[in-house]
Amino acid sequence: MMYWILFFYLVVVYWVPEVGVIALICMIGPVVMAVRKGRYWCGHFCPRGSLYDKVVSRFSPHKRIPKFVRSKAFRIFMLFFIFGMFGLQLYMNGWTWAGVGRTFWNIILVTTLVGMVLGFVYAPRTWCSFCPMGTLSAWVSPKSPKEGFPQVCVSAACQMKCKRCAKV
C-alpha cells in the first residue's frame, strides 16, 4: 500500500512545501536501484505505481497502451519535457526550500493526475511506460535490452503475467 505515501505527501506538502524536497527519494531511488536490480523500484517501491496497481486498475479498461506512447522518441521527449517543466517551475517558484518543495509537489500532482486519466482510458500503468524516472532507470540498468527500454510489466501486482495490466 505504498500509494498512501503519495497521498500523505500531497497533503503535507500542500501545507508545508519545504517538506516537498523529500520527493528526491523517488527520483534518485529508482535510478540508483536500477544499477543492480533493473526497474525493481517501479514495481515494488513506487508510490504512484502502487496507486495505479491498487486503485486505478479496478476502474481501468486494461486496453493495450498505444505504440507511440511506448516509443523511444516519446520517452525521450517526455524526459526532456518533464525536466524542462521542472526547471521552469523552479524558476517561477524560486530556489528557496519552499519553492523547490512546491515545484516537486506541482510536478507530482500533475503527472499523477495525467497517469490516472491515462489509466482510466488505457491500462493502469500507462504512465509507467514513459515515466521519466523509469526511462532513466532503464538506461542505467544492466538488465535492460540494448535500446534501454524494456517492454516488460513493472507492476508488482501483476507478477509478470501482464494479461490484466497490459505490457508497458
Side-chain angles (χ1 to χ4, degrees):
M1 300 280 192
M2 296 294 288
Y3 67 90
W4 286 107
I5 293 171
L6 176 63
F7 291 138
F8 184 74
Y9 175 87
L10 290 171
V11 170
V12 169
V13 176
Y14 179 80
W15 298 107
V16 188
E18 295 84 0
V19 178
V21 296
I22 199 169
L24 281 170
I25 294 169
C26 287
M27 290 184 74
I28 296 169
V31 178
V32 170
M33 185 174 278
V35 172
R36 307 268 294 167
K37 293 191 170 250
R39 289 184 64 189
Y40 188 83
W41 175 283
C42 301
H44 296 86
F45 298 115
C46 179
R48 187 180 295 159
S50 173
L51 172 70
Y52 299 152
D53 283 344
K54 305 291 186 203
V55 179
V56 176
S57 66
R58 295 179 184 176
F59 307 99
S60 176
H62 299 278
K63 291 182 182 174
R64 192 162 226 8
I65 299 168
K67 269 189 175 180
F68 85 90
V69 171
R70 295 180 288 132
S71 72
K72 184 176 184 178
F74 188 74
R75 291 181 76 160
I76 291 170
F77 166 77
M78 285 306 297
L79 180 72
F80 283 103
F81 178 76
I82 294 294
F83 279 101
M85 289 294 102
F86 188 80
L88 181 63
Q89 287 281 314
L90 277 175
Y91 177 76
M92 292 170 52
N93 291 328
W95 285 88
T96 64
W97 284 109
V100 173
R102 179 63 64 199
T103 296
F104 276 114
W105 186 86
N106 287 338
I107 296 292
I108 290 171
L109 176 66
V110 170
T111 56
T112 298
L113 293 174
V114 166
M116 289 179 71
V117 168
L118 290 171
F120 293 139
V121 174
Y122 296 109
R125 281 208 176 223
T126 302
W127 169 261
C128 302
S129 65
F130 61 91
C131 167
M133 301 324 302
T135 298
L136 290 175
S137 296
W139 279 346
V140 301
S141 173
K143 296 181 177 200
S144 294
K146 234 182 200 178
E147 69 275 4
F149 299 110
Q151 296 296 318
V152 296
C153 183
V154 294
S155 169
C158 179
Q159 310 268 333
M160 302 303 285
K161 293 177 186 149
C162 297
K163 291 178 182 146
R164 289 192 33 90
C165 66
K167 292 182 180 179
V168 258

